[in-house]
Amino acid sequence: EPEVTQTPSHQVTQMGQEVILRCVPISNHLYFYWYRQILGQKVEFLVSFYNNEISEKSEIFDDQFSVERPDGSNFTLKIRSTKLEDSAMYFCASNGGGAGGTGELFFGEGSRLTVL
Amino acid sequence: GQSLEQPSEVTAVEGAIVQINCTYQTSGFYGLSWYQQHDGGAPTFLSYNGLDGLEETGRFSSFLSRSDSYGYLLLQELQMKDSASYFCALDRAGNNRKLIWGLGTSLAVNP
């Protein structure tokens, strides 16, 4: 069964460092997302991406963050100059696209980021 | 803005039925989704209500009433493996599925 894969599963970094989280969405999906979940809290929308550009972003997704689809399969989230409060689980998700239907999002297992 | 409220914790026993309620405030949306999450792992899709009424998928059912700004997830014949967090999420249909999530309900199923 097709699945969304994310790497790394866990990354520890020093405050101020840059991190890149990688995702391989389901191959025929068209819409890609990054969500964040701070430990014990709700899942928060960061950004959606379609047709090689950001379609929507939240207030959380400030200039510190960027996304890229460098090739036909990878979808990356870059966090520049990490802060302690960036420590969270970052989930990538994809969707087949199109109006109607259930709009089911398929999530990866997440990348846990710990900023020290 | 948009916000959702759900109970933080629910406890039930194996074989029982449990209902997790979700109330929301929104200026507009197209549907209410439910996701399950085990131990901080990947959220998995359970159910979606685009229209008012009941949607049934096996042991899980979900209900939506737009006039009451209310929905619920009903889990029947509870099993230990159903112990997880359950999130309701407002869904904006169309090409861009953003999802605005509730805080989640932690369900503990006891023997």
Side-chain angles (χ1 to χ4, degrees), chain B residues 36-90:
Chain B
Q36 179 191 60
Q37 186 181 37
H38 280 101
D39 297 328
T44 55
F45 173 82
L46 290 178
S47 188
Y48 173 80
N49 292 81
L51 300 173
D52 280 10
L54 193 67
E55 290 286 337
E56 297 180 84
T57 308
R59 294 188 297 115
F60 295 172
S61 303
S62 60
F63 173 84
L64 175 65
S65 168
R66 290 172 186 269
S67 59
D68 296 321
S69 297
Y70 163 73
Y72 66 71
L73 179 70
L74 190 73
L75 299 87
Q76 303 182 69
E77 300 173 17
L78 282 174
Q79 303 173 10
M80 298 291 287
K81 67 179 182 179
D82 297 328
S83 294
S85 292
Y86 293 85
F87 294 86
C88 58
L90 288 172

Side-chain angles (χ1 to χ4, degrees), chain A residues 31 33 35 37 56 105 108, chain B residues 35 37 42 92 95 97-98:
Chain A
Y31 295 84
Y33 308 82
Y35 286 83
Q37 186 177 33
E56 188 165 359
L105 293 186
Chain B
Y35 283 78
Q37 186 181 37
R92 186 183 62 208
N95 291 329
R97 243 67 186 221
K98 175 181 171 180

Side-chain angles (χ1 to χ4, degrees), chain A residues 31 33 35 37 41-43 45 48 55-56 89 91 95 98-105 107-109, chain B residues 33 35 37 40-45 48 87 91-104:
Chain A
Y31 295 84
Y33 308 82
Y35 286 83
Q37 186 177 33
Q41 299 187 23
K42 68 178 179 179
V43 179
F45 169 77
S48 58
S55 48
E56 188 165 359
M89 181 73 90
F91 289 105
N95 172 266
T102 67
E104 178 179 356
L105 293 186
F107 284 82
E109 290 294 327
Chain B
S33 298
Y35 283 78
Q37 186 181 37
T44 55
F45 173 82
Y48 173 80
F87 294 86
D91 176 42
R92 186 183 62 208
N95 291 329
N96 186 16
R97 243 67 186 221
K98 175 181 171 180
L99 292 185
I100 303 298
W101 297 67
L103 291 174

